[in-house]
Amino acid sequence: MRREDSLDMGEMIRGIKYKANHDTFPTGLFLAYICYYAGQAIYNTYLNLYLYQIGFSASQIGAVISVSTIAILAMQPMWGILSDRVSIKNRVLTFLCLAAAACAMGFYTTKGYLAILFLVAIFGVFYNPIVPLSDNITLETLIKSRWDYGWIRMGGTIGYAVAVLVIGYFFRDSYEAMFMIIALSLVMVAACFRTVPPVKGYKERKGKISLAILLKNKILMGLIGYHLIYGMGIGFFSSFYSIHFVNIGGDSRMVGWMMFASSVAEIPFLMLMNRIVKKAGLRKVLVLAGAITCIRWMLMYILTNPVLIIGANTLHGFGFSSFTYCILNYINNKVPPELRASSQVLNTTLNTIFSRLIFGYLGGIAFELWGAASMMLFSSAAMGAATLIFWYWSRNKQRELSL
Protein backbone atom coordinates (compact mmCIF):
# COMPACT_ATOMS: atom_id res chain seq x y z
CA MET A 1 0.00 0.00 0.00
CA ARG A 2 1.32 3.46 -0.86
CA ARG A 3 1.97 5.96 1.94
CA GLU A 4 -0.62 8.37 0.45
CA ASP A 5 -3.25 5.62 0.50
CA SER A 6 -2.38 4.87 4.12
CA LEU A 7 -2.80 8.53 5.09
CA ASP A 8 -6.11 8.81 3.26
CA MET A 9 -7.33 5.62 4.94
CA GLY A 10 -6.37 7.02 8.37
CA GLU A 11 -8.24 10.26 7.66
CA MET A 12 -11.25 8.27 6.47
CA ILE A 13 -11.29 6.21 9.66
CA ARG A 14 -11.15 9.34 11.82
CA GLY A 15 -13.99 10.84 9.79
CA ILE A 16 -16.18 7.71 10.12
CA LYS A 17 -15.50 7.54 13.85
CA TYR A 18 -16.47 11.17 14.28
CA LYS A 19 -19.69 10.84 12.28
CA ALA A 20 -20.69 7.87 14.36
CA ASN A 21 -20.24 10.02 17.48
CA HIS A 22 -21.38 13.40 16.21
CA ASP A 23 -23.04 14.13 19.56
CA THR A 24 -19.66 13.89 21.31
CA PHE A 25 -18.09 17.23 22.16
CA PRO A 26 -15.31 17.98 19.59
CA THR A 27 -12.47 18.27 22.09
CA GLY A 28 -9.77 18.55 19.42
CA LEU A 29 -11.34 21.69 17.97
CA PHE A 30 -11.91 23.18 21.42
CA LEU A 31 -8.27 22.63 22.44
CA ALA A 32 -7.03 24.02 19.11
CA TYR A 33 -8.90 27.27 19.78
CA ILE A 34 -7.54 27.45 23.33
CA CYS A 35 -3.95 27.07 22.09
CA TYR A 36 -4.23 29.44 19.13
CA TYR A 37 -5.93 32.28 20.96
CA ALA A 38 -3.59 31.96 23.94
CA GLY A 39 -0.74 32.67 21.53
CA GLN A 40 -2.69 35.40 19.75
CA ALA A 41 -3.41 37.11 23.06
CA ILE A 42 0.30 37.34 23.78
CA TYR A 43 1.21 38.50 20.27
CA ASN A 44 -1.54 41.11 19.95
CA THR A 45 -1.12 42.46 23.48
CA TYR A 46 2.62 42.49 23.93
CA LEU A 47 4.29 42.76 20.48
CA ASN A 48 4.03 46.54 20.37
CA LEU A 49 5.14 46.81 23.99
CA TYR A 50 8.17 44.66 23.08
CA LEU A 51 8.96 46.88 20.07
CA TYR A 52 8.51 49.99 22.22
CA GLN A 53 10.81 48.48 24.86
CA ILE A 54 13.64 47.81 22.37
CA GLY A 55 13.54 51.41 21.18
CA PHE A 56 10.98 51.69 18.36
CA SER A 57 8.90 54.89 18.18
CA ALA A 58 5.12 54.81 17.70
CA SER A 59 5.50 55.79 14.03
CA GLN A 60 8.11 53.04 13.52
CA ILE A 61 5.74 50.53 15.14
CA GLY A 62 3.00 51.78 12.83
CA ALA A 63 5.29 51.33 9.82
CA VAL A 64 6.07 47.75 10.90
CA ILE A 65 2.35 47.01 11.13
CA SER A 66 1.62 48.59 7.75
CA VAL A 67 4.43 46.89 5.83
CA SER A 68 3.52 43.54 7.34
CA THR A 69 -0.08 44.21 6.33
CA ILE A 70 0.90 44.71 2.70
CA ALA A 71 2.65 41.34 2.74
CA ILE A 72 -0.39 39.72 4.36
CA LEU A 73 -2.75 41.24 1.82
CA ALA A 74 -0.60 40.03 -1.06
CA MET A 75 -0.66 36.43 0.16
CA GLN A 76 -3.75 35.91 2.32
CA PRO A 77 -6.37 35.48 -0.45
CA MET A 78 -4.21 32.71 -1.93
CA TRP A 79 -4.58 30.62 1.25
CA GLY A 80 -8.38 30.79 1.09
CA ILE A 81 -8.46 29.79 -2.56
CA LEU A 82 -5.94 27.00 -1.92
CA SER A 83 -7.94 25.70 1.03
CA ASP A 84 -11.13 25.57 -1.05
CA ARG A 85 -9.38 23.65 -3.85
CA VAL A 86 -7.11 21.12 -2.11
CA SER A 87 -8.29 17.62 -1.35
CA ILE A 88 -8.06 18.04 2.46
CA LYS A 89 -8.32 21.52 4.02
CA ASN A 90 -6.71 20.46 7.32
CA ARG A 91 -3.34 20.02 5.61
CA VAL A 92 -3.14 23.69 4.61
CA LEU A 93 -3.91 24.74 8.18
CA THR A 94 -1.27 22.43 9.63
CA PHE A 95 1.36 23.83 7.26
CA LEU A 96 0.50 27.42 8.23
CA CYS A 97 0.79 26.65 11.95
CA LEU A 98 4.21 25.04 11.64
CA ALA A 99 5.55 27.72 9.27
CA ALA A 100 4.39 30.50 11.62
CA ALA A 101 5.99 28.71 14.59
CA ALA A 102 9.34 28.62 12.76
CA CYS A 103 9.05 32.35 11.96
CA ALA A 104 8.29 33.20 15.60
CA MET A 105 11.62 31.74 16.66
CA GLY A 106 13.35 34.06 14.20
CA PHE A 107 12.71 37.03 16.49
CA TYR A 108 15.50 35.77 18.74
CA THR A 109 18.09 36.33 16.00
CA THR A 110 17.89 40.14 15.72
CA LYS A 111 16.64 43.45 17.12
CA GLY A 112 17.41 45.52 14.02
CA TYR A 113 14.56 47.59 12.62
CA LEU A 114 14.58 46.26 9.04
CA ALA A 115 15.06 42.66 10.18
CA ILE A 116 12.16 42.94 12.67
CA LEU A 117 10.03 44.52 9.96
CA PHE A 118 10.74 41.53 7.69
CA LEU A 119 10.04 39.00 10.46
CA VAL A 120 6.71 40.58 11.42
CA ALA A 121 5.70 40.57 7.74
CA ILE A 122 6.63 36.94 7.00
CA PHE A 123 5.16 35.77 10.31
CA GLY A 124 1.87 37.50 9.45
CA VAL A 125 1.75 35.85 6.02
CA PHE A 126 1.51 32.45 7.72
CA TYR A 127 -0.19 33.48 10.98
CA ASN A 128 -3.13 35.63 9.88
CA PRO A 129 -4.89 33.07 7.62
CA ILE A 130 -5.07 30.55 10.47
CA VAL A 131 -8.16 32.22 11.99
CA PRO A 132 -10.45 32.24 8.91
CA LEU A 133 -9.33 28.79 7.78
CA SER A 134 -9.79 27.24 11.23
CA ASP A 135 -13.23 28.88 11.48
CA ASN A 136 -14.15 27.43 8.09
CA ILE A 137 -13.00 23.93 9.07
CA THR A 138 -14.82 24.21 12.40
CA LEU A 139 -18.12 25.33 10.87
CA GLU A 140 -18.03 22.59 8.25
CA THR A 141 -17.11 19.98 10.85
CA LEU A 142 -20.06 21.02 13.03
CA ILE A 143 -22.68 20.83 10.26
CA LYS A 144 -23.89 17.38 11.42
CA SER A 145 -23.04 17.94 15.07
CA ARG A 146 -25.30 19.05 17.89
CA TRP A 147 -22.62 21.52 18.98
CA ASP A 148 -22.76 25.17 17.97
CA TYR A 149 -19.78 27.26 16.80
CA GLY A 150 -20.10 29.53 19.86
CA TRP A 151 -19.23 26.67 22.21
CA ILE A 152 -16.04 25.89 20.27
CA ARG A 153 -15.05 29.54 19.90
CA MET A 154 -15.44 29.84 23.66
CA GLY A 155 -12.23 27.78 23.88
CA GLY A 156 -10.48 30.68 22.16
CA THR A 157 -11.90 33.09 24.69
CA ILE A 158 -10.72 30.95 27.59
CA GLY A 159 -7.25 30.60 26.09
CA TYR A 160 -7.03 34.33 25.39
CA ALA A 161 -8.25 35.35 28.84
CA VAL A 162 -5.99 33.00 30.80
CA ALA A 163 -2.96 33.86 28.67
CA VAL A 164 -3.17 37.65 29.00
CA LEU A 165 -3.70 37.38 32.75
CA VAL A 166 -1.01 34.80 33.57
CA ILE A 167 1.55 36.09 31.07
CA GLY A 168 1.16 39.64 32.37
CA TYR A 169 2.50 38.47 35.74
CA PHE A 170 5.12 36.22 34.14
CA PHE A 171 6.62 38.89 31.87
CA ARG A 172 7.06 41.57 34.56
CA ASP A 173 7.61 44.22 31.86
CA SER A 174 10.15 42.10 29.94
CA TYR A 175 8.65 40.56 26.83
CA GLU A 176 11.28 38.47 25.01
CA ALA A 177 9.86 35.10 26.13
CA MET A 178 6.68 35.76 24.13
CA PHE A 179 8.03 34.33 20.88
CA MET A 180 8.92 30.94 22.37
CA ILE A 181 5.44 30.69 23.90
CA ILE A 182 3.77 31.67 20.61
CA ALA A 183 5.77 29.08 18.67
CA LEU A 184 4.82 26.38 21.19
CA SER A 185 1.13 27.32 20.99
CA LEU A 186 1.18 27.01 17.18
CA VAL A 187 2.78 23.56 17.29
CA MET A 188 0.02 22.52 19.71
CA VAL A 189 -2.65 23.91 17.36
CA ALA A 190 -1.23 21.80 14.53
CA ALA A 191 -1.27 18.73 16.79
CA CYS A 192 -4.90 19.38 17.81
CA PHE A 193 -6.09 19.72 14.22
CA ARG A 194 -4.49 16.36 13.44
CA THR A 195 -7.20 14.84 15.65
CA VAL A 196 -10.01 16.59 13.75
CA PRO A 197 -11.77 14.66 10.95
CA PRO A 198 -10.56 15.72 7.48
CA VAL A 199 -12.62 18.42 5.81
CA LYS A 200 -12.56 18.00 2.07
CA GLY A 201 -11.94 20.81 -0.34
CA TYR A 202 -13.55 20.93 -3.76
CA LYS A 203 -10.62 19.85 -5.90
CA GLU A 204 -12.72 17.27 -7.73
CA ARG A 205 -15.69 19.50 -8.51
CA LYS A 206 -16.24 20.30 -12.18
CA GLY A 207 -17.02 23.87 -13.08
CA LYS A 208 -15.28 26.40 -10.87
CA ILE A 209 -17.40 29.07 -9.19
CA SER A 210 -15.99 32.57 -9.68
CA LEU A 211 -14.96 34.69 -6.70
CA ALA A 212 -16.87 37.53 -8.38
CA ILE A 213 -20.03 35.97 -6.94
CA LEU A 214 -18.91 37.12 -3.48
CA LEU A 215 -18.43 40.71 -4.59
CA LYS A 216 -21.92 40.73 -6.17
CA ASN A 217 -23.53 39.54 -2.93
CA LYS A 218 -24.79 42.88 -1.58
CA ILE A 219 -25.82 41.47 1.79
CA LEU A 220 -22.41 39.89 2.36
CA MET A 221 -20.62 43.08 1.26
CA GLY A 222 -22.86 45.13 3.56
CA LEU A 223 -22.06 42.91 6.54
CA ILE A 224 -18.35 42.97 5.76
CA GLY A 225 -18.45 46.78 5.36
CA TYR A 226 -20.10 47.20 8.75
CA HIS A 227 -17.57 44.80 10.24
CA LEU A 228 -14.73 46.91 8.78
CA ILE A 229 -15.64 49.89 10.93
CA TYR A 230 -15.83 47.68 14.00
CA GLY A 231 -12.43 46.19 13.13
CA MET A 232 -10.96 49.65 12.62
CA GLY A 233 -11.54 50.58 16.26
CA ILE A 234 -10.38 47.18 17.45
CA GLY A 235 -7.22 47.63 15.37
CA PHE A 236 -6.26 50.89 17.00
CA PHE A 237 -7.16 49.63 20.47
CA SER A 238 -5.06 46.48 19.98
CA SER A 239 -2.09 48.29 18.44
CA PHE A 240 -1.70 51.37 20.62
CA TYR A 241 -4.07 51.56 23.55
CA SER A 242 -1.87 49.35 25.75
CA ILE A 243 0.96 51.91 25.37
CA HIS A 244 -1.43 54.71 26.40
CA PHE A 245 -2.72 52.56 29.27
CA VAL A 246 0.82 52.06 30.62
CA ASN A 247 1.56 55.78 30.23
CA ILE A 248 -1.44 56.77 32.39
CA GLY A 249 -0.46 54.50 35.28
CA GLY A 250 -1.02 50.89 34.23
CA ASP A 251 1.63 48.17 34.01
CA SER A 252 1.99 44.80 32.27
CA ARG A 253 -0.11 43.08 34.92
CA MET A 254 -2.93 45.63 34.60
CA VAL A 255 -2.75 45.30 30.81
CA GLY A 256 -3.26 41.59 31.40
CA TRP A 257 -6.27 42.25 33.63
CA MET A 258 -7.77 44.60 31.04
CA MET A 259 -7.52 41.98 28.30
CA PHE A 260 -8.67 39.27 30.70
CA ALA A 261 -11.83 41.21 31.61
CA SER A 262 -12.75 41.85 27.98
CA SER A 263 -12.13 38.22 27.03
CA VAL A 264 -14.07 36.68 29.92
CA ALA A 265 -17.01 38.93 29.02
CA GLU A 266 -17.30 37.01 25.73
CA ILE A 267 -18.05 33.66 27.39
CA PRO A 268 -21.76 34.02 28.29
CA PHE A 269 -22.56 35.56 24.90
CA LEU A 270 -20.72 32.89 22.93
CA MET A 271 -22.69 30.27 24.85
CA LEU A 272 -26.03 31.99 24.22
CA MET A 273 -25.51 33.75 20.87
CA ASN A 274 -27.29 31.04 18.88
CA ARG A 275 -30.43 31.54 20.98
CA ILE A 276 -30.09 35.33 20.96
CA VAL A 277 -29.84 35.49 17.16
CA LYS A 278 -32.77 33.08 16.70
CA LYS A 279 -34.96 35.18 18.99
CA ALA A 280 -33.95 38.74 18.06
CA GLY A 281 -32.64 38.26 14.52
CA LEU A 282 -29.24 39.02 13.06
CA ARG A 283 -30.09 42.65 12.22
CA LYS A 284 -31.11 43.67 15.75
CA VAL A 285 -28.16 41.87 17.29
CA LEU A 286 -25.66 43.65 15.05
CA VAL A 287 -27.27 47.07 15.58
CA LEU A 288 -27.09 46.58 19.35
CA ALA A 289 -23.49 45.36 19.07
CA GLY A 290 -22.57 48.51 17.14
CA ALA A 291 -24.23 50.78 19.70
CA ILE A 292 -22.49 49.07 22.61
CA THR A 293 -19.12 49.29 20.84
CA CYS A 294 -19.69 53.00 20.22
CA ILE A 295 -20.23 53.47 23.97
CA ARG A 296 -17.12 51.41 24.77
CA TRP A 297 -14.84 53.59 22.63
CA MET A 298 -16.37 56.74 24.11
CA LEU A 299 -15.55 55.47 27.61
CA MET A 300 -11.97 54.77 26.48
CA TYR A 301 -11.81 58.47 25.54
CA ILE A 302 -13.34 59.76 28.78
CA LEU A 303 -11.80 57.48 31.44
CA THR A 304 -8.30 57.88 32.86
CA ASN A 305 -8.53 55.58 35.89
CA PRO A 306 -6.99 52.17 34.98
CA VAL A 307 -9.48 50.25 37.15
CA LEU A 308 -12.48 51.93 35.52
CA ILE A 309 -10.96 51.32 32.07
CA ILE A 310 -10.64 47.61 32.89
CA GLY A 311 -14.32 47.52 33.90
CA ALA A 312 -15.48 49.41 30.81
CA ASN A 313 -13.75 46.90 28.54
CA THR A 314 -16.22 44.20 29.57
CA LEU A 315 -18.48 45.82 26.94
CA HIS A 316 -16.24 44.02 24.46
CA GLY A 317 -18.04 40.76 25.22
CA PHE A 318 -21.32 41.38 23.43
CA GLY A 319 -19.86 43.42 20.57
CA PHE A 320 -17.14 40.95 19.61
CA SER A 321 -19.31 37.84 20.06
CA SER A 322 -22.10 39.32 17.94
CA PHE A 323 -19.98 40.41 14.98
CA THR A 324 -17.94 37.20 14.97
CA TYR A 325 -20.86 34.81 15.32
CA CYS A 326 -23.25 36.55 12.92
CA ILE A 327 -20.85 37.08 10.03
CA LEU A 328 -19.19 33.65 10.22
CA ASN A 329 -22.53 31.88 10.37
CA TYR A 330 -24.00 34.00 7.58
CA ILE A 331 -21.11 32.93 5.34
CA ASN A 332 -21.47 29.28 6.34
CA ASN A 333 -25.22 29.30 5.65
CA LYS A 334 -25.54 31.56 2.62
CA VAL A 335 -22.31 31.22 0.61
CA PRO A 336 -21.73 28.26 -1.79
CA PRO A 337 -19.58 25.56 -0.13
CA GLU A 338 -16.85 26.00 -2.75
CA LEU A 339 -16.32 29.61 -1.64
CA ARG A 340 -16.74 29.45 2.12
CA ALA A 341 -13.03 29.47 3.02
CA SER A 342 -12.44 32.19 0.43
CA SER A 343 -15.28 34.24 1.94
CA GLN A 344 -13.86 33.92 5.45
CA VAL A 345 -10.45 35.00 4.15
CA LEU A 346 -12.01 37.90 2.20
CA ASN A 347 -13.67 39.18 5.36
CA THR A 348 -10.42 38.85 7.31
CA THR A 349 -8.36 40.44 4.53
CA LEU A 350 -10.58 43.50 4.21
CA ASN A 351 -10.58 43.91 7.98
CA THR A 352 -6.80 43.65 7.92
CA ILE A 353 -6.63 46.56 5.46
CA PHE A 354 -8.57 48.82 7.79
CA SER A 355 -7.47 47.62 11.21
CA ARG A 356 -3.75 47.21 10.45
CA LEU A 357 -3.02 49.47 7.46
CA ILE A 358 -5.16 52.50 8.31
CA PHE A 359 -4.77 52.19 12.07
CA GLY A 360 -1.24 50.83 11.68
CA TYR A 361 0.95 53.44 10.04
CA LEU A 362 -1.63 56.24 10.08
CA GLY A 363 -2.69 55.25 13.57
CA GLY A 364 0.92 55.47 14.77
CA ILE A 365 1.22 59.01 13.39
CA ALA A 366 -2.15 59.97 14.89
CA PHE A 367 -1.09 58.49 18.24
CA GLU A 368 2.01 60.73 18.30
CA LEU A 369 0.09 63.83 17.19
CA TRP A 370 -3.14 63.58 19.17
CA GLY A 371 -2.80 60.68 21.61
CA ALA A 372 -4.75 57.46 22.04
CA ALA A 373 -7.72 59.07 23.79
CA SER A 374 -8.52 61.27 20.78
CA MET A 375 -8.31 58.28 18.46
CA MET A 376 -10.80 56.38 20.63
CA LEU A 377 -13.16 59.36 20.28
CA PHE A 378 -12.80 59.11 16.50
CA SER A 379 -13.46 55.35 16.70
CA SER A 380 -16.61 55.99 18.73
CA ALA A 381 -17.92 58.52 16.19
CA ALA A 382 -17.15 56.19 13.26
CA MET A 383 -18.86 53.23 14.95
CA GLY A 384 -21.90 55.31 15.81
CA ALA A 385 -22.25 56.55 12.23
CA ALA A 386 -21.76 53.03 10.82
CA THR A 387 -24.43 51.65 13.16
CA LEU A 388 -26.98 54.23 12.01
CA ILE A 389 -26.16 53.54 8.35
CA PHE A 390 -26.44 49.78 8.85
CA TRP A 391 -29.76 50.18 10.71
CA TYR A 392 -31.22 52.24 7.85
CA TRP A 393 -29.74 50.08 5.04
CA SER A 394 -30.96 46.80 6.54
CA ARG A 395 -34.47 47.91 7.55
CA ASN A 396 -36.13 45.93 4.70
CA LYS A 397 -33.62 43.07 4.59
CA GLN A 398 -34.62 40.93 7.58
CA ARG A 399 -35.40 37.95 5.35
CA GLU A 400 -32.07 38.09 3.52
CA LEU A 401 -30.24 38.46 6.84
CA SER A 402 -31.86 35.42 8.42
CA LEU A 403 -29.64 32.43 9.23
Side-chain angles (χ1 to χ4, degrees):
M1 179 181 292
R2 293 181 303 170
R3 182 174 179 271
E4 292 81 358
D5 293 337
S6 178
L7 288 173
D8 290 341
M9 183 65 71
E11 287 165 348
M12 186 182 298
I13 291 170
R14 286 201 301 273
I16 293 171
K17 182 178 179 182
Y18 180 81
K19 288 176 182 176
N21 297 280
H22 65 271
D23 286 341
T24 303
F25 186 73
T27 306
L29 286 173
F30 188 76
L31 291 176
Y33 274 73
I34 289 177
C35 295
Y36 177 81
Y37 281 94
Q40 189 195 66
I42 298 167
Y43 187 73
N44 287 354
T45 304
Y46 295 107
L47 175 65
N48 288 351
L49 288 172
Y50 169 76
L51 297 178
Y52 193 69
Q53 187 178 70
I54 64 175
F56 289 19
S57 67
S59 58
Q60 284 180 313
I61 294 172
V64 168
I65 295 170
S66 295
V67 172
S68 67
T69 300
I70 293 170
I72 292 167
L73 294 177
M75 296 297 295
Q76 188 154 286
M78 179 196 75
W79 297 116
I81 295 170
L82 180 63
S83 180
D84 277 328
R85 295 183 180 178
V86 296
S87 57
I88 301 295
K89 295 185 178 185
N90 309 50
R91 294 171 179 170
V92 176
L93 189 60
T94 299
F95 169 77
L96 291 173
C97 290
L98 297 179
C103 292
M105 298 304 295
F107 284 92
Y108 290 110
T109 64
T110 182
K111 291 184 180 178
Y113 178 69
L114 291 178
I116 290 290
L117 188 150
F118 172 78
L119 282 169
V120 172
I122 196 68
F123 176 78
V125 165
F126 296 119
Y127 189 67
N128 271 48
I130 293 174
V131 171
L133 296 188
S134 61
D135 284 340
N136 173 246
I137 289 174
T138 298
L139 287 164
E140 294 207 28
T141 299
L142 297 177
I143 287 176
K144 296 182 180 181
S145 170
R146 64 180 289 262
W147 298 100
D148 181 63
Y149 169 81
W151 284 87
I152 307 305
R153 180 57 181 79
M154 187 172 62
T157 296
I158 293 170
Y160 196 102
V162 172
V164 292
L165 182 61
V166 174
I167 294 300
Y169 283 92
F170 173 75
F171 282 163
R172 297 185 181 276
D173 299 319
S174 180
Y175 308 107
E176 284 192 350
M178 64 182 287
F179 302 109
M180 177 73 75
I181 299 170
I182 290 167
L184 179 61
S185 74
L186 288 165
V187 171
M188 294 174 68
V189 172
C192 289
F193 268 101
R194 288 292 297 167
T195 71
V196 175
V199 174
K200 292 185 178 182
Y202 295 89
K203 179 180 179 181
E204 298 174 357
R205 284 264 181 111
K206 295 181 179 180
K208 302 285 177 63
I209 297 181
S210 172
L211 291 174
I213 291 176
L214 301 180
L215 301 178
K216 293 178 181 178
N217 186 330
K218 294 181 180 179
I219 301 298
L220 177 62
M221 291 298 103
L223 289 173
I224 290 177
Y226 187 33
H227 194 207
L228 293 182
I229 306 303
Y230 173 80
M232 196 163 60
I234 289 291
F236 183 81
F237 180 82
S238 300
S239 297
F240 296 104
Y241 194 82
S242 59
I243 297 173
H244 168 74
F245 186 75
V246 169
N247 288 338
I248 62 174
D251 56 26
S252 64
R253 283 174 288 186
M254 294 189 79
V255 169
W257 275 107
M258 179 174 67
M259 298 303 179
F260 175 81
S262 60
S263 298
V264 167
E266 297 172 11
I267 293 176
F269 297 111
L270 287 170
M271 293 173 65
L272 299 172
M273 191 54 65
N274 184 42
R275 297 179 185 178
I276 294 172
V277 172
K278 283 183 177 179
K279 186 171 183 179
L282 184 146
R283 176 177 180 265
K284 290 181 180 178
V285 169
L286 287 178
V287 168
L288 181 58
I292 289 174
T293 302
C294 174
I295 294 169
R296 179 192 177 194
W297 298 149
M298 180 60 71
L299 291 175
M300 295 301 100
Y301 167 70
I302 295 171
L303 299 176
T304 57
N305 183 299
V307 175
L308 294 179
I309 290 171
I310 290 172
N313 270 291
T314 57
L315 294 175
H316 167 85
F318 185 79
F320 175 82
S321 301
S322 299
F323 276 101
T324 300
Y325 183 93
C326 290
I327 293 177
L328 291 183
N329 277 277
Y330 177 86
I331 290 172
N332 202 56
N333 283 281
K334 301 293 186 177
V335 171
E338 297 90 334
L339 295 176
R340 286 173 184 167
S342 299
S343 301
Q344 305 289 11
V345 171
L346 175 65
N347 179 45
T348 302
T349 300
L350 292 176
N351 266 279
T352 299
I353 294 174
F354 278 77
S355 66
R356 292 174 61 91
L357 193 58
I358 293 179
F359 272 151
Y361 181 68
L362 297 180
I365 295 174
F367 176 81
E368 291 183 336
L369 291 175
W370 301 300
S374 296
M375 295 311 297
M376 298 319 300
L377 177 62
F378 173 79
S379 298
S380 178
M383 193 71 245
T387 301
L388 288 174
I389 293 170
F390 178 79
W391 169 79
Y392 182 79
W393 170 80
S394 62
R395 67 193 188 282
N396 296 319
K397 296 179 173 62
Q398 287 92 334
R399 183 177 178 181
E400 293 95 326
L401 287 168
S402 63
L403 295 180

